[in-house]
Amino acid sequence: MDRSLSTAARAFARSAFGRDGRLFFASGRVNLLGAHIDYHGGCVLPVAVDRGVAVVAAPRADRKLRLASADFPARFELDLDALPSAATLGWSAYPVGVVAALRADGHALPGLDLAFAGDLPIGAGLSSSAAILVATATAVAALAGIELAPIDAARLAFRVETTFVGVKCGIMDPFASALGKPGHALALDCKTQRYDHVALPVERMAFLMLDSMTRRELKDGGFNRRVAESTGALAKLQAVLPHATCLRDVTPAELERHRPLLTDQEWQRARHVVTEVARVARARGHLERGELLEFGQLMWLSHLSSRHLYEVSTPRLDALQELSLSHPGCWGARLTGAGFGGCALAVVRPDAVEPFSARVAAGFEQRFGQRPAIHALRFGQAPGEVVDA
Ligand code: GLA
């Protein structure tokens, strides 16, 4: 966690609530490969990053839950024993959902002041929502004396986002935030929830976040629509492939054989999923053997499939990917996260970071009249309390 974020979070807590507290942090993530397949049971390869969400948490003697965020003007003062539903809560639906879930699990919680600050762009595909959920779960559990292992914080976060907040996302983001390891990608099987870590050839890889400077909200519907469209394709395929419990169980050959059962749009969505599942399976070996050229090609293909088949890209994200492709120092680039705006991830040779960034920024500005924010990302840390030096 960046030192300037801890300073900013503490200063914000003092200005919002007139008091300091204990500081906790959870990472955001980029996903190297595996777009929109976590909720279809696929395997994904995310990396936790050093940008994320910090929360300054302090217990209260009364039953109030007070919430403030440095990123949003709305503040909330709620009765811990009568928490409202997500509809009226705006950004605070995420932390309130965590508090409600811990209470529903039978935990006794004290009144709390929670002050949030972050250094992830919000709604930009770097998993700001999982970071706020995991940070809240970690902080509240610590203050209430609840034993909560990182994987349990991830499961809780997933439950809150899919039920309380109502985004039909998969498990990738909270698992990446909770279980990432420096120097490694998390190889997460979203069907079994088994995982291990793949060591990356880090001396040859720099990670750059390329911000298209547009935002989306998953609650807005595009994301849930894609989930519904692709799940609709699965339902039709299950009539002839009863063994398939999720799209990950369908092979590309089976999909082609049964294409007449599907509308063109359903086929497109399913085709993205089954080919992306196959790409991730190949990617792991390439990473382990340090074959970054081959790995990068899979990133290009993933982006094209997200763009043309799953239709979650935008002209700005496509431009970032194409500009990246035109630089010889880039191994690969693709949109990261849900798409519909937000960021692309470029994996670049460390010695090429500066010329690469300059070329991409200039090309993007020429086309859209706006400079993209480009940031180098370092590896994140496990969620937990941050003790200032
Ligand atoms: C969002 C969701 C994830 C995943 C990605 C797309 O980040 O929260 O579960 O589906 O989009 O890969």
Side-chain angles (χ1 to χ4, degrees):
M1 171 188 189
D2 201 273
R3 187 56 180 265
S4 59
L5 178 60
S6 59
T7 309
R10 287 196 182 285
F12 176 68
R14 282 192 296 271
S15 79
F17 298 133
R19 60 198 296 229
D20 207 330
R22 290 169 65 183
L23 177 67
F24 298 81
F25 176 78
S27 291
R29 62 97 193 91
V30 288
N31 184 20
L32 297 183
L33 207 70
H36 286 271
I37 60 172
D38 59 343
Y39 53 86
H40 288 302
C43 295
V44 290
L45 286 168
V47 170
V49 298
D50 63 334
R51 288 172 174 252
V53 172
V55 53
V56 177
R60 299 176 56 87
D62 60 18
R63 302 297 295 158
K64 280 184 189 158
L65 173 62
R66 295 199 301 175
L67 303 136
S69 164
D71 292 305
F72 299 95
R75 305 235 168 129
F76 295 84
E77 185 171 316
L78 307 170
D79 175 352
L80 195 61
D81 300 313
L83 293 172
S85 69
T88 57
L89 287 169
W91 70 268
S92 77
Y94 291 87
V96 172
V98 169
V99 169
L102 285 169
R103 284 184 48 103
D105 287 348
H107 296 296
L109 304 183
L112 293 161
D113 284 343
L114 300 177
F116 296 90
D119 56 2
L120 282 174
I122 294 170
L126 273 85
S127 197
S128 50
S129 43
I132 191 174
L133 291 166
V134 173
T136 307
T138 308
V140 175
L143 264 68
I146 302 164
E147 287 277 335
L148 192 72
I151 194 161
D152 296 324
R155 290 190 175 124
L156 185 86
F158 171 67
R159 202 171 103 207
V160 171
E161 190 155 12
T162 48
T163 56
F164 194 82
V165 179
V167 178
K168 300 297 169 206
C169 60
I171 63 169
M172 171 172 70
D173 300 352
F175 274 65
S177 176
L179 301 169
K181 182 166 148 187
H184 293 73
L186 178 73
L188 174 64
D189 182 325
C190 299
K191 186 173 172 186
T192 62
Q193 298 196 356
R194 289 210 195 95
Y195 65 91
D196 63 354
H197 293 93
V198 181
L200 299 172
V202 285
E203 63 301 333
R204 293 165 55 221
M205 295 173 104
F207 300 109
L208 295 181
M209 176 198 106
L210 316 177
D211 192 339
S212 74
M213 313 305 278
T214 51
R215 298 289 176 261
R216 51 92 191 118
E217 269 208 52
L218 293 191
K219 284 182 292 171
D220 287 348
F223 183 88
N224 281 351
R225 212 161 32 246
R226 288 297 176 278
V227 177
E229 290 161 0
S230 44
T231 312
L234 171 67
K236 288 188 180 173
L237 291 166
Q238 281 171 327
V240 286
L241 301 170
H243 68 277
T245 57
C246 52
L247 272 181
R248 180 253 182 96
D249 296 336
V250 177
T251 65
E254 285 170 336
L255 176 64
E256 291 320 302
R257 197 173 323 128
H258 300 298
R259 181 172 177 169
L261 294 177
L262 306 179
T263 65
D264 283 348
Q265 190 192 66
E266 286 165 344
W267 172 81
Q268 275 180 243
R269 306 300 186 244
R271 171 92 187 152
H272 165 75
V273 173
V274 301
T275 57
E276 187 78 350
V277 165
R279 279 187 286 275
V280 175
R282 284 160 54 204
R284 181 180 178 136
H286 289 316
L287 285 172
E288 283 168 342
R289 293 188 293 274
E291 295 163 357
L292 293 181
L293 215 54
E294 290 80 357
F295 173 73
Q297 281 167 358
L298 295 173
M299 290 183 80
W300 305 121
L301 292 173
S302 169
H303 183 88
L304 292 179
S305 181
S306 299
R307 172 180 176 177
H308 296 294
L309 295 175
Y310 222 64
E311 297 184 287
V312 291
S313 192
T314 64
R316 285 171 171 238
L317 286 169
D318 296 339
L320 288 170
Q321 197 245 1
E322 284 156 10
L323 287 161
S324 299
L325 175 62
S326 72
H327 195 282
C330 181
W331 298 113
R334 54 176 290 267
L335 62 82
T336 182
F340 305 105
C343 292
L345 165 72
V347 182
V348 175
R349 281 197 339 251
D351 62 347
V353 166
E354 280 182 25
F356 170 87
S357 304
R359 162 108 61 101
V360 170
F364 187 90
E365 187 173 15
Q366 198 178 30
R367 193 149 156 210
F368 299 103
Q370 187 182 18
R371 268 188 107 65
I374 299 183
H375 296 291
L377 298 168
R378 293 187 301 270
F379 289 99
Q381 63 202 71
E385 185 160 10
V386 180
V387 182
D388 301 329

